[in-house]
Amino acid sequence: MFHDILFLILGLVLIIAGGNYLTDGAVSVAKRFGISSLVIGLTIVAFGSSTPDFVVCFISTLSGKSELALGDVLGANIFDITLIIGIIAMIAPVRISSEMAFKDLPMLALSSIALFICGDDRIVDGTNVNIVNRTDGLMLLSLFVIFMCYTMEMARSHSTKPISTRPKTAAAIPHHSVEKAEATEADNTRRMKPWVAAVCIVGGLAALVFGGQWLVDGASGLARRLGMSEALIGLTIVGIGSSIPDLSTSVIAAIKKQPQIAIGNVVGACIFNVFFIIGLCSTVKPLNAGSLTFVDFGTLVLGSLLVLLFGDMIVKRTITRLQGAILAGVYVAYMVYLVVNAAS
């Protein structure tokens, strides 16, 4: 068991560090070739923040551990939507911009509902097994293309507006922010010497490959030894671990009075996780949800709808401290449910 825990921890550290170094190196190379900060932010930098989840899901999919893949995304998104947004709001009430309220938050709810429809076939189709098949994956990828086209267009429309400064951390980069946080981050990244950038890219890729494999092997071994399902490991240890960068980034941004960036980081990450990561992985190989249940998919939908409700319809588009506490309470209740269910 010690070796499984060690592999899991080392794998998690490697994929987070590898994603950061790969992103920094790629941004430096892109800037050297004159690629705009906007394009860098919406592609290289945006993808970098979801690298941990992507590596875990892709390797799990290829290894035939689809429960771990789906559990990771479900666990990470539930953690982000309920606990992280809850903590952000409890630090300081979050004022939601009109564009986020009417475009981003509905897209977040759509991604959660789409995953529920694709993943919970027992409820939707009345079948005996839950599978996210290739048709589902292609549909999710199509929604991802629409989301990216909309993101690019909105970023261009804001190109003349002031750009907020994002806290400089080694954590994940937001995919989508109405204040163009992605382009700011690309501008703030120092240009490396070519050989340093190459080392970061190669080293980051190596860390992602080895770290992802170690994390998947460690999580699977731990699940077998503890008699837990791979889905439960994904929902808890792996999902939470891969979301730690999002937590640190968002909390720092909230403390520095940049709530739009704080919540934009979370919203963008969750949309990206469902539409792109699950879409791509299920297109490569259908994902069997296994022991994932209505409660797991339903908690994700509930959290998304609560954020939409709080951010769009109550208290003049402001998520208050009380509402933040409610969101955090949903996550605590869900964790209690998982523990009790696993013990029974």
Side-chain angles (χ1 to χ4, degrees):
M1 182 180 295
F2 173 77
H3 291 90
D4 292 327
I5 296 175
L6 181 62
F7 274 129
L8 191 149
I9 294 174
L10 289 177
L12 191 59
V13 170
L14 279 177
I15 62 174
I16 291 174
N20 286 320
Y21 281 114
L22 175 63
T23 300
D24 290 344
V27 167
S28 179
V29 170
K31 289 182 73 67
R32 185 171 295 276
F33 282 96
I35 299 175
S36 71
S37 295
L38 172 61
V39 175
I40 293 171
L42 293 174
T43 55
I44 301 171
V45 179
F47 179 76
S49 65
S50 276
T51 300
D53 293 306
F54 174 73
V55 172
V56 171
C57 289
F58 196 70
I59 292 179
S60 298
T61 300
L62 296 179
S63 303
K65 299 177 174 63
S66 56
E67 284 188 60
L68 184 60
L70 280 169
D72 172 44
V73 167
L74 266 175
N77 279 19
I78 292 172
F79 182 86
D80 284 0
I81 292 170
T82 57
L83 189 62
I84 295 182
I85 293 181
I87 290 174
I88 293 170
M90 286 189 287
I91 292 174
V94 180
R95 172 69 175 162
I96 303 298
S97 69
S98 59
E99 286 176 330
M100 179 169 285
F102 296 115
K103 296 179 181 178
D104 296 315
L105 297 187
M107 187 67 75
L108 173 66
L110 174 62
S111 69
S112 299
I113 294 172
L115 185 58
F116 173 85
I117 293 173
C118 293
D120 200 340
D121 293 330
R122 293 189 182 96
I123 297 295
V124 177
D125 292 331
T127 61
N128 295 323
V129 62
N130 291 337
I131 295 179
V132 182
N133 57 37
R134 286 190 174 91
T135 302
D136 297 329
L138 291 171
M139 184 270 290
L140 293 174
L141 286 177
S142 299
L143 290 173
F144 173 72
V145 171
I146 295 172
F147 172 66
M148 286 305 298
C149 289
Y150 146 71
T151 301
M152 293 282 288
E153 181 58 33
M154 195 177 75
R156 289 193 189 96
S157 69
H158 284 76
S159 60
T160 59
K161 294 187 178 182
I163 298 174
S164 300
T165 302
R166 177 158 176 205
K168 294 182 181 179
T169 69
I173 310 299
H175 310 116
H176 184 64
S177 172
V178 295
E179 298 180 86
K180 219 170 74 171
E182 301 95 335
T184 303
E185 186 71 18
D187 285 331
N188 290 337
T189 302
R190 64 183 180 86
R191 183 175 294 180
M192 305 174 181
K193 295 180 179 180
W195 71 269
V196 176
V199 169
C200 286
I201 292 173
V202 174
L205 284 171
L208 287 171
V209 172
F210 285 105
Q213 190 61 59
W214 288 355
L215 188 146
V216 171
D217 291 344
S220 299
L222 190 63
R224 287 193 299 272
R225 294 179 187 278
L226 295 177
M228 301 169 61
S229 67
E230 291 175 352
L232 182 58
I233 292 291
L235 287 168
T236 54
I237 300 173
V238 178
I240 293 172
S242 62
S243 290
I244 293 301
D246 290 327
L247 175 62
S248 61
T249 298
S250 295
V251 168
I252 290 172
I255 292 173
K256 293 190 175 185
K257 308 300 181 182
Q258 296 175 318
Q260 288 292 333
I261 295 176
I263 196 169
N265 176 51
V266 171
V267 171
C270 292
I271 295 172
F272 192 88
N273 285 351
V274 173
F275 287 161
F276 180 74
I277 296 179
I278 295 299
L280 179 62
C281 289
S282 57
T283 300
V284 171
K285 187 177 181 179
L287 303 176
N288 189 329
S291 58
L292 292 171
T293 68
F294 169 79
V295 174
D296 303 312
F297 291 104
T299 301
L300 178 60
V301 173
L302 173 63
S304 299
L305 292 178
L306 284 176
V307 171
L308 176 62
L309 179 67
F310 294 156
D312 194 13
M313 304 176 185
I314 300 177
V315 197
K316 297 181 180 180
R317 297 201 307 268
T318 300
I319 302 179
T320 65
R321 287 188 171 90
L322 174 60
Q323 292 166 350
I326 292 173
L327 288 170
V330 170
Y331 186 77
V332 172
Y334 177 62
M335 285 294 104
V336 170
Y337 164 79
L338 289 180
V339 172
V340 172
N341 190 58
S344 60

